[in-house]
Amino acid sequence: MEKRTVLHMFDPMPHVSPFDINMAVDSGFESIFTYNNVALEQVNGLVQDAIFSRGPAGVKRTGLFIGGRDLGLALNMLDIAKNAMVPPFEVSVLADPSGACTTAAALVACVEKQLRIKHGVGLEGLCGVVYGGTGPVGIATAVIASLAGVDVKIVDPFNINTALEKADEYNARCGAKLKGTYASSDADKARLIAHADIVFCTAKAGVQVLNADILGDAKQLKVAGDINAVPPLGIEGVKRMHNGEPLVHAVNSPGAVGIGSLAVGDVKYKLQHALLAYLLTAAKPVFLDFREAFERARELV
Ligand SMILES: NC(=O)c1ccc[n+]([C@@H]2O[C@H](COP(=O)([O-])OP(=O)(O)OC[C@H]3O[C@@H](n4cnc5c(N)ncnc54)[C@H](OP(=O)(O)O)[C@@H]3O)[C@@H](O)[C@H]2O)c1
């Protein structure tokens, strides 16, 4: 009899995300086990406990998921999990803390598609600003865009040191070329948007970051994507279902278009589903983060 499929979900936070548990069920895992408050130093032991009990056929029916709210910590856990494998006792692992890898990958892929369709250009060489760029989704968005050739600034709403530290951390870790800045006033936000080709709005839910006046200062904006689905939305005039509709308030950026949270969410949902399913179907064990997520998102959009 074929063994049941099992997903072990490791999380450094007090609770594993119900969103991710639902996704795991809908992706076909029959048994799901959640581990809360997992410390980095516990990952090696937990992984080795999971790989030896089911035999070579069983490891093919077993996956690991790493959650939490901190992308750097999740990437460290992924590295430790990978190094804990003892071939042929190896299982596939997906790191997607706070949905950061899949949401960011979906957002950048949606933006790239609109750049191509509406402006005939790719990501490379453009200037991008990530408002809310120091959160988990923002930093993943910034790294993906930077590795694709965008000159990216991450924006913290209050503190330049937070932005500079995050930029340094992810440049060293991922080979990105992020710059850090802050924008605590509308004037700061307008100064940043003036020379942006792309805006990624990945700020906290329920916060309008860019109003019509600020958008009026954009001089060369091509595509703006917002992932906040909770009113007020992040960019005035960009509705949740927008996917390439004109950015009406960007009056000085002819042809600028917007992408809303549910358009991104639709891709993110399909992407996370596909990556979870891939944990069981990959020919060899795979260790998935934002890099593979972006490759797959580009195929999906
Ligand atoms: N559409 C989708 O499929 C999807 C999927 C997942 C998540 N989301 C959404 O993605 C967004 C980002 O998620 P997250 O977990 O990364 O969020 P988060 O950690 O709550 O916040 C992200 C960023 O927003 C900043 N921020 C806080 N208050 C702000 C303000 N008043 N103005 C501008 N920025 C502000 C935070 O800065 P500080 O750290 O300094 O406070 C942080 O840099 C949320 O809106 C979430 O709901 C959407």
Side-chain angles (χ1 to χ4, degrees):
M1 194 181 73
E2 200 167 39
K3 292 189 190 260
R4 289 170 69 83
T5 54
V6 172
L7 184 68
H8 297 286
M9 304 182 79
F10 299 159
D11 202 308
M13 300 290 288
H15 304 289
V16 172
S17 149
F19 183 102
D20 292 329
I21 295 171
N22 291 345
M23 289 294 301
V25 171
D26 292 345
S27 301
F29 283 94
E30 293 162 305
S31 299
I32 293 167
F33 301 96
T34 62
Y35 305 78
N36 311 328
N37 296 313
V38 174
L40 194 59
E41 53 274 15
Q42 294 172 314
V43 172
N44 185 73
L46 283 169
V47 170
Q48 293 194 338
D49 229 13
I51 59 177
F52 286 124
S53 51
R54 308 189 83 200
V59 288
K60 291 197 172 71
R61 309 274 292 164
T62 308
L64 301 180
F65 179 90
I66 295 169
R69 294 266 312 139
D70 181 329
L71 181 63
L73 178 56
L75 294 177
N76 287 340
M77 288 181 153
L78 182 65
D79 282 345
I80 290 176
K82 189 174 178 181
N83 289 330
M85 302 300 168
V86 184
F89 299 98
E90 286 184 279
V91 303
S92 292
V93 189
L94 168 62
D96 196 18
S98 207
C101 296
T102 48
T103 308
L107 173 60
V108 182
C110 287
V111 165
E112 182 181 40
K113 181 178 176 186
Q114 291 304 325
L115 283 170
R116 204 179 314 113
I117 294 173
K118 298 282 178 11
H119 299 278
V121 295
L123 290 163
E124 186 145 17
L126 299 186
C127 291
V129 177
V130 188
Y131 293 95
T134 52
V137 180
I139 201 75
T141 300
V143 171
I144 292 170
S146 175
L147 294 180
V150 180
D151 181 11
V152 179
K153 286 194 180 76
I154 57 169
V155 185
D156 188 85
F158 314 112
N159 190 336
I160 188 157
N161 290 330
T162 305
L164 292 174
E165 282 162 20
K166 289 269 180 191
D168 285 350
E169 178 188 345
Y170 285 88
N171 289 345
R173 172 191 278 279
C174 304
K177 293 180 181 161
L178 309 180
K179 294 166 186 151
T181 188
Y182 79 107
S184 58
S185 65
D186 285 4
D188 291 335
K189 294 175 194 173
R191 175 177 48 81
L192 288 171
I193 208 171
H195 304 292
D197 299 292
I198 309 168
V199 160
F200 300 102
C201 191
T202 60
K204 187 168 112 169
V207 174
Q208 184 187 78
V209 179
L210 301 176
N211 60 32
D213 281 350
I214 297 169
L215 289 163
D217 277 319
K219 306 281 191 298
Q220 60 191 52
L221 188 57
K222 295 174 178 59
V223 182
D226 176 31
I227 54 166
N228 163 26
V230 179
L233 304 180
I235 303 177
E236 189 168 358
V238 177
K239 302 215 165 96
R240 279 180 280 221
M241 293 303 292
H242 277 187
N243 200 359
E245 278 75 0
L247 202 55
V248 290
H249 299 303
V251 289
N252 293 307
S253 290
V257 297
I259 301 168
S261 57
L262 297 188
V264 176
D266 182 52
V267 178
K268 178 247 168 20
Y269 173 84
K270 289 175 185 152
L271 176 61
Q272 190 173 352
H273 189 285
L275 294 178
L276 282 163
Y278 187 50
L279 296 180
L280 296 177
T281 57
K284 292 191 302 190
V286 289
F287 303 93
L288 309 173
D289 62 19
F290 61 86
R291 286 162 265 244
E292 294 77 12
F294 184 48
E295 278 174 34
R296 195 65 79 94
R298 281 174 139 167
E299 292 163 14
L300 278 175
V301 293

